[in-house]
Amino acid sequence: MTSGSAPCVILDKPQLAENIGAVARVMANFGLSDLRLVNPRDGWPQERAWASASGAEWPLNGARVYDSVEAAIADLQLVYATTARPRELQLPVMGPREAAANLAREAAVGHATGLLFGGERAGLETADIALCQAVVTLPIDPRFRSLNLAQAVAINAYEWRMTVDTGAPPIFREGPPPATAEALQGLYEHFERELEAAGFFHPPEKKPSMIQNLRAALARARFSDQEVRTFRGVVTALSRGRGRVLEKLARQRAQSGE
Amino acid sequence: MTSGSAPCVILDKPQLAENIGAVARVMANFGLSDLRLVNPRDGWPQERAWASASGAEWPLNGARVYDSVEAAIADLQLVYATTARPRELQLPVMGPREAAANLAREAAVGHATGLLFGGERAGLETADIALCQAVVTLPIDPRFRSLNLAQAVAINAYEWRMTVDTGAPPIFREGPPPATAEALQGLYEHFERELEAAGFFHPPEKKPSMIQNLRAALARARFSDQEVRTFRGVVTALSRGRGRVLEKLARQRAQSGE
């Protein structure tokens, strides 16, 4: 499936320019760019929006201003209204995950889609929600419903991006593959020889279960070959440490004529 | 299934009080409340945090301040580090959805969990990430990676809440609980002291990265308390072994009249 165009973000009567800038920033974070403003309270453009976008200027530079929600969504084929408050409207209600899946599906066949957000105080008017195909509501804790506008956009934009991504997080670095069982056994046996020499396994009848427990704990770490070498070096260092101490002691004794 | 306790949120060196307040707000939105601050740049408490929390005061009122990430996570049994930047550490990397599922699964069996976030500019130090069990990264558009701190918390908190709403997948094996970060740190330090004494860390300038790699490899194993005790016994046995060998040699020499 191709990802299609990202949904546009329509802000109805946004109040604070800082919030418009913060919205632009999260849009850029998640690959959205089409920002539409319906009657921004303090007019447009506003410098503080650019100041709070941390460099995500293109959604602001390209933002279009409208004098009604109707006008702002006129060219769209699927619009979801995001709101925390229940309404009387007979519209499907869904979470951002299901909404994102629907938006991505429609975008993939070339439909123009959008997400409509209300202003900071008043939210959306019911008449404007009635222009939409569904209501998106976030799983907010009922004890504290006051969600910041840019956060609401962020979570919907994140969910949209998750549908575009294959689902797997980016691999930072192609990590080395886990070591083979043979390499691990070499480490275990080396380790256990030294522990035996150090008198670790007592009482002797418990040695098999002690070894099993040590091996199981280390197996969970899934060492790479490099890590197997490192931990063999660790075992060698700790045990050779004895040899060094002995040599040093022997030298001291020789020097002191003991 | 009960949901268990929400993960705590640890902010390492947060710079702006407004962001701390915004973090508290989204924590409240998604039902999180345990906020921990490591060396907040401008001290604590700061009025501007409360001003920007929009009434979500309880995470701020209860916030605890620490002077190191180590101290802040000491009582936790599973800590994930959130970061956008690639590291050399061999830790699992996952998205917020998988991370939330894991956190919820552990919380449901009573384990104390946390999410660690870096400061606005510098992010997390590798040494602190090495104390965690995995790295969480968001599906950010590579063309604009600058994600606001509160947004990063919001998306992780949202994903955690989604697992509570929908139910986390069950945990399969009822094993002993993982050790706390404090217990692990005790093991790491004990281990590193002995390696230092054995001359393992050379060249000296590589010691910090060698330590990080050892810690990250062991962190993946998620030792239980019993296993921490066992491996401390291992370290003691290997290093005390030196003393035993010395004693034995001294006895032999005394007997042979050397």
Side-chain angles (χ1 to χ4, degrees):
Chain A
M1 185 176 92
T2 62
S3 66
S5 298
C8 67
V9 169
I10 307 118
L11 304 183
D12 182 35
K13 305 189 198 71
Q15 298 187 296
L16 298 173
E18 289 82 354
N19 281 341
I20 300 173
V23 165
R25 184 175 175 182
V26 293
M27 288 175 66
N29 287 144
F30 296 110
L32 282 64
S33 59
D34 185 346
L35 175 61
R36 305 177 180 197
L37 307 173
V38 180
N39 295 323
R41 184 188 65 184
D42 300 331
W44 192 257
Q46 297 176 63
E47 257 180 48
R48 283 169 306 142
W50 273 259
S52 65
S54 291
E57 298 194 346
W58 57 100
L60 298 174
N61 295 340
R64 282 168 286 178
V65 179
Y66 300 85
D67 62 4
S68 69
V69 170
E70 264 186 348
I73 68 172
D75 61 319
L76 304 179
Q77 292 161 293
L78 181 72
V79 186
Y80 285 172
T82 67
T83 174
R85 291 183 301 136
R87 309 297 169 115
E88 294 303 304
L89 295 169
Q90 289 304 315
L91 283 176
V93 177
M94 60 186 75
R97 189 162 302 168
E98 185 183 353
N102 293 345
L103 291 164
R105 198 180 297 117
E106 299 256 341
V109 294
H111 299 172
T113 64
L115 281 160
L116 173 64
F117 296 85
E120 290 90 335
R121 291 272 160 230
L124 289 169
E125 290 171 34
T126 306
D128 290 326
I129 299 175
L131 301 171
C132 300
Q133 278 74 41
V135 166
V136 183
T137 184
L138 276 80
I140 297 286
D141 191 321
R143 290 167 297 184
F144 190 73
R145 291 196 166 277
S146 165
L147 184 72
N148 172 267
L149 174 59
Q151 303 284 13
V153 174
I155 286 162
N156 282 283
Y158 157 76
E159 284 286 10
W160 180 80
R161 179 133 193 109
M162 287 292 281
T163 69
V164 175
D165 269 22
T166 57
I171 286 175
F172 280 164
R173 182 167 74 91
E174 196 61 55
T180 62
E182 184 178 28
L184 287 178
Q185 282 160 29
L187 169 63
Y188 297 160
E189 287 161 12
H190 181 184
F191 187 43
E192 289 149 12
R193 271 196 308 279
E194 293 299 336
L195 285 174
E196 177 83 273
F200 181 76
F201 296 115
H202 60 91
E205 64 270 23
K206 278 204 160 180
K207 182 178 168 185
S209 69
M210 290 171 83
I211 282 180
Q212 277 165 23
N213 292 340
L214 287 169
R215 289 183 176 198
L218 290 174
R220 296 201 310 263
R222 306 203 65 203
F223 289 152
S224 67
D225 275 328
Q226 176 56 55
E227 288 168 340
V228 166
R229 283 193 294 274
T230 300
F231 277 87
R232 292 194 71 144
V234 160
V235 174
T236 300
L238 288 176
S239 47
R240 191 186 292 163
R242 297 175 214 160
R244 283 196 189 151
V245 173
L246 285 177
E247 282 166 28
K248 193 175 167 190
L249 194 76
R251 273 200 307 279
Q252 286 171 344
R253 282 176 174 167
Q255 284 166 1
S256 68
E258 274 183 58
Chain B
M1 188 179 87
T2 61
S3 64
S5 297
C8 68
V9 169
I10 306 118
L11 304 183
D12 182 34
K13 305 188 197 74
Q15 298 188 296
L16 297 173
E18 289 82 354
N19 281 342
I20 301 173
V23 165
R25 183 175 175 182
V26 293
M27 288 175 67
N29 286 146
F30 295 111
L32 283 64
S33 59
D34 185 344
L35 175 61
R36 303 175 181 200
L37 307 173
V38 180
N39 295 325
R41 185 187 64 184
D42 301 330
W44 191 259
Q46 299 176 64
E47 257 181 49
R48 284 168 304 141
W50 273 259
S52 64
S54 292
E57 298 194 346
W58 57 99
L60 298 175
N61 295 340
R64 281 169 286 177
V65 179
Y66 300 85
D67 63 4
S68 70
V69 169
E70 269 188 349
I73 68 172
D75 61 318
L76 303 179
Q77 293 162 295
L78 183 71
V79 186
Y80 285 173
T82 66
T83 174
R85 288 186 301 135
R87 308 297 168 117
E88 294 304 306
L89 294 172
Q90 289 303 318
L91 284 177
V93 177
M94 59 187 75
R97 189 162 302 167
E98 184 184 355
N102 293 344
L103 291 165
R105 197 183 296 117
E106 300 255 343
V109 294
H111 300 170
T113 65
L115 280 160
L116 173 64
F117 296 85
E120 290 90 335
R121 290 271 159 232
L124 289 170
E125 288 171 37
T126 305
D128 291 326
I129 299 175
L131 300 172
C132 300
Q133 277 74 39
V135 166
V136 182
T137 182
L138 277 80
I140 296 287
D141 190 322
R143 290 167 296 183
F144 190 72
R145 290 195 166 279
S146 164
L147 183 71
N148 172 267
L149 174 59
Q151 303 285 11
V153 175
I155 287 162
N156 282 283
Y158 157 76
E159 283 286 10
W160 180 80
R161 179 131 194 111
M162 288 292 281
T163 69
V164 175
D165 277 14
T166 62
I171 210 160
F172 286 112
R173 184 177 64 92
E174 194 66 55
T180 62
E182 185 176 29
L184 287 178
Q185 285 161 27
L187 168 63
Y188 297 160
E189 286 161 13
H190 181 184
F191 186 44
E192 289 149 12
R193 269 197 310 277
E194 292 301 336
L195 285 173
E196 176 83 274
F200 180 77
F201 297 115
H202 60 91
E205 65 270 22
K206 278 204 161 179
K207 182 179 169 186
S209 70
M210 292 171 83
I211 283 181
Q212 279 163 21
N213 292 339
L214 288 169
R215 290 182 175 198
L218 291 175
R220 296 199 312 259
R222 305 205 62 206
F223 290 152
S224 66
D225 275 328
Q226 177 56 56
E227 289 168 339
V228 166
R229 283 192 295 273
T230 300
F231 278 88
R232 292 195 69 146
V234 160
V235 174
T236 300
L238 289 175
S239 48
R240 193 187 291 162
R242 296 175 212 162
R244 285 198 187 149
V245 173
L246 285 178
E247 282 166 28
K248 192 175 165 188
L249 192 78
R251 272 201 308 279
Q252 286 172 344
R253 281 176 173 167
Q255 284 164 3
S256 69
E258 272 182 58

